Amino acid sequence: MTLITDQSQFPCRLYQAEQVRSLDRCAIETFGIPGLTLMERAGDAAFDLIRTRWPAARHITVLCGPGNNGGDGFVVARLAIQAGLTVRLLLLGDSAKLRGDALTSADKFRQAGGRIESFSELDFSTDLIVDGVLGTGLERPVTGDWETALLAANRHPAPILALDIPSGLHADSGRILGCAIRAEATITFIGLKRGLFTGQGPACCGSIALDDLAVPGGVYQSIDATAHLLRWQTFAEQLVPRVRTLHKGQCGHLLLVGGDRGFSGAIRMAGEAALRTGAGLVSIATRAEHAALISSQRPELMCHGIEQPEALLPLMARADAVAIGPGLGKSSWGQDMLGQVLQSGLPLVVDADGLNLLAQEPAQRANWILTPHPGEAARLLGCATTEIQADRFGAVVQIQQRFAGVVLLKGAGTLISGGPDQPVGVCCEGNPGMASGGMGDLLTGIIGSLLVQGSTLETAAAMGACLHGAAGDLAARAGERGMLATDLLPEIRRLINPEVN
């Protein structure tokens, strides 16, 4: 068996719950591995993680449901008894519903001296809670005694280890179904479930470990993953030192449009991020009263006071791509700027109020990248933000189908969709310290900079999201609270130059 606790070593493939069940069936039916053997391996892996992560734990409470997730819990409980630990096993649901491998594991637990109790209350002397209540097949809200048990576990001071998935979390979307376990760690089996990495998944899972249960590699050949993990390290390994004769004209020219009255900071931050990511030239089209101010603060940015949309034409004629949205506003000025930009054939990055204006007059374009946060995504689809967050994978695909191009849906577990035939990318970089103003403006500048330096739309979006998140992770070493968007700028420069790190 291979237990992986370092997320940077995870395989890239992410699966839906039904796909993992198919992998499980393939291991059993095609490769002849008994289901009970897989259950034993899952319990072994979980108990090994317990001994490694919580070596001082002596009193363990295991919460089990009547399904196979509970079966894994019975194995953990038996191994804990055999190791001399004090174990309390609490069963939710009807014990008469135990079937197959789960029933066999329950019987082995009893034979080892274990006692199965119906759930009542949690013992406050326990050192660790193991969640084996509900698995990946959950499709309806958790209610009744199940809800009572999950809430009680969350209130308990002991850490929680979730088996396969935190109970109550939807395996495909990452939404919470009524209520869900908030685990300190989750050990998942055979394949990574995509709901662990976006929506509420990161908040419920804690640190994630993966064990493949020693299934043969051929098992994975039977299923095409619907999503894949994106990591900055993968992109960093593709970066090479610049050719010694390179000049600025070969590094691309990005035009940034935005900064209506009162919002000069947004367009300036986008411009600085573009420069720090390596663009050769960055021009800014903004309100006239902002141009001189930005130029005095960051003279490397070529700022132009633009009041009429026609004045954008000579700027676009010199640019390789346009990024529009930071501080754009929704006044007639912003509308006019967007209208002029949309007449250009240049590759575009559209963010912020550029997206809000686009929602009012939808269009399709093959050569743009749209970068909505959940609120902007809701406006693009004409629905509520809660609906976006309930199914982020579905939302990013729908936006891409409606508007074409490449779509990047921001949030914990940023998603990138480049088309219906491509797996959705999931960025696993970033942290809660990035929940502050200006972070999206940096991302716009980063993606635009990568575009003008020659990246494809898909690569610019995926690489940009990972660079942005990785820079945030480095900045967070000084603390997540109080992190400013501009704190990321020196980290962006360090990351984009891995050869000097």
Side-chain angles (χ1 to χ4, degrees):
M1 291 189 293
T2 303
L3 177 64
I4 306 174
T5 56
D6 181 355
Q7 189 164 304
S8 69
Q9 301 302 311
F10 282 169
C12 291
R13 296 176 297 244
L14 299 179
Y15 299 98
Q16 293 173 282
E18 182 53 44
Q19 291 181 305
V20 177
R21 287 191 283 273
S22 295
L23 294 174
D24 191 77
R25 286 194 298 272
C26 180
I28 295 169
E29 297 170 4
T30 304
F31 290 89
I33 304 173
L36 184 60
T37 299
L38 295 176
M39 188 171 286
E40 287 284 339
R41 291 176 182 176
D44 279 337
F47 189 65
D48 286 346
L49 182 60
I50 289 171
R51 299 312 297 266
T52 301
R53 188 180 179 100
W54 299 282
R58 291 292 177 268
H59 184 171
I60 296 177
T61 297
V62 182
L63 303 178
C64 290
N68 282 343
N69 195 245
D72 297 340
F74 282 115
V75 177
V76 172
R78 188 191 80 233
L79 294 173
I81 286 177
Q82 293 170 342
L85 304 184
T86 301
V87 177
R88 188 180 185 201
L89 189 143
L90 303 178
L91 180 67
L92 285 106
D94 187 354
S95 61
K97 293 183 178 180
L98 287 167
R99 295 282 188 277
D101 297 333
L103 177 59
T104 301
S105 294
D107 289 339
K108 286 187 173 184
F109 169 70
R110 291 190 188 96
Q111 293 163 12
R115 175 170 167 261
I116 299 175
E117 305 175 52
S118 295
F119 177 83
S120 55
E121 60 183 5
L122 294 175
D123 185 347
F124 272 81
S125 66
T126 195
D127 301 315
L128 176 70
I129 297 170
V130 178
D131 164 34
V133 180
L134 299 166
T136 60
L138 184 68
E139 291 291 343
R140 61 176 184 270
V142 178
T143 58
D145 291 342
W146 307 85
E147 179 182 23
T148 300
L150 302 193
L151 294 176
N154 287 340
R155 288 193 299 267
H156 197 284
I160 303 174
L161 171 65
L163 303 180
D164 208 21
I165 190 169
S167 292
L169 184 70
H170 193 268
D172 293 348
S173 66
R175 72 180 183 273
I176 290 175
L177 294 169
C179 70
I181 284 290
R182 300 276 180 166
E184 183 174 301
T186 297
I187 180 168
T188 198
F189 307 118
I190 296 186
L192 295 168
K193 291 76 182 172
R194 67 186 202 179
L196 304 180
F197 296 93
T198 196
Q200 292 297 314
C204 292
C205 292
S207 60
I208 299 172
L210 168 68
D211 198 290
D212 62 11
L213 306 187
V215 301
V219 167
Y220 299 96
Q221 304 305 312
S222 62
I223 298 290
D224 292 326
T226 60
H228 61 102
L229 284 177
L230 301 169
R231 304 185 186 91
W232 167 246
Q233 188 58 39
T234 303
F235 293 105
E237 291 169 356
Q238 300 169 17
L239 294 171
V240 296
R242 286 184 162 183
V243 176
R244 297 298 90 188
T245 54
L246 196 71
H247 60 78
K248 65 188 178 187
Q250 295 173 296
C251 297
H253 187 167
L254 177 66
L255 172 62
L256 282 154
V257 182
D260 199 356
R261 293 186 177 96
F263 297 102
S264 62
I267 199 68
R268 177 192 163 183
M269 285 189 289
E272 290 200 43
L275 288 172
R276 291 302 188 191
T277 307
L281 296 166
V282 177
S283 294
I284 288 181
T286 186
R287 284 287 194 176
E289 59 261 42
H290 295 156
L293 175 64
I294 295 173
S295 292
S296 67
Q297 295 170 334
R298 178 54 69 194
E300 296 89 346
L301 294 170
M302 298 180 289
C303 296
H304 305 266
I306 302 295
E307 295 300 329
Q308 300 301 321
E310 295 79 13
L312 285 174
L313 293 174
L315 299 181
M316 290 191 291
R318 296 193 294 270
D320 298 305
V322 180
I324 184 167
L328 183 69
K330 292 182 284 188
S331 70
S332 59
W333 181 82
Q335 294 174 30
D336 290 344
M337 295 300 111
L338 180 62
Q340 188 67 67
V341 166
L342 290 179
Q343 293 180 40
S344 163
L346 291 170
L348 304 180
V349 183
V350 185
D351 185 34
D353 278 326
L355 295 168
N356 292 326
L357 292 171
L358 184 63
Q360 298 172 16
E361 294 187 40
Q364 284 198 344
R365 191 183 182 105
N367 67 337
W368 63 10
I369 300 172
L370 309 182
T371 62
H373 59 52
E376 293 157 351
R379 287 185 277 279
L380 289 172
L381 292 180
C383 64
T385 303
T386 52
E387 295 177 66
I388 299 295
Q389 294 295 76
D391 185 5
R392 287 171 53 80
F393 283 96
V396 74
V397 169
Q398 285 182 52
I399 296 171
Q400 196 284 327
Q401 290 173 343
R402 183 170 297 185
F403 293 89
V406 173
V407 178
L408 183 152
L409 178 58
K410 300 172 188 174
T414 290
L415 305 181
I416 295 114
S417 175
D421 298 326
Q422 300 180 38
V424 174
V426 184
C427 174
C428 53
E429 319 281 1
N431 62 83
M434 299 173 73
S436 64
M439 292 291 178
D441 303 316
L442 295 186
L443 181 59
T444 299
I446 290 169
I447 293 174
S449 181
L450 294 171
L451 267 183
V452 300
Q453 291 177 74
S455 293
T456 65
L457 295 171
E458 292 84 355
T459 299
M463 184 177 182
C466 291
L467 173 57
H468 183 247
D473 288 338
L474 291 178
R477 292 177 179 178
E480 291 180 351
R481 290 187 178 91
M483 190 195 307
L484 304 180
T486 50
D487 293 337
L488 273 62
L489 291 171
E491 310 300 349
I492 291 168
R493 186 182 181 190
R494 288 190 188 95
L495 290 168
I496 206 70
N497 291 285
E499 70 276 8
V500 299
N501 292 335

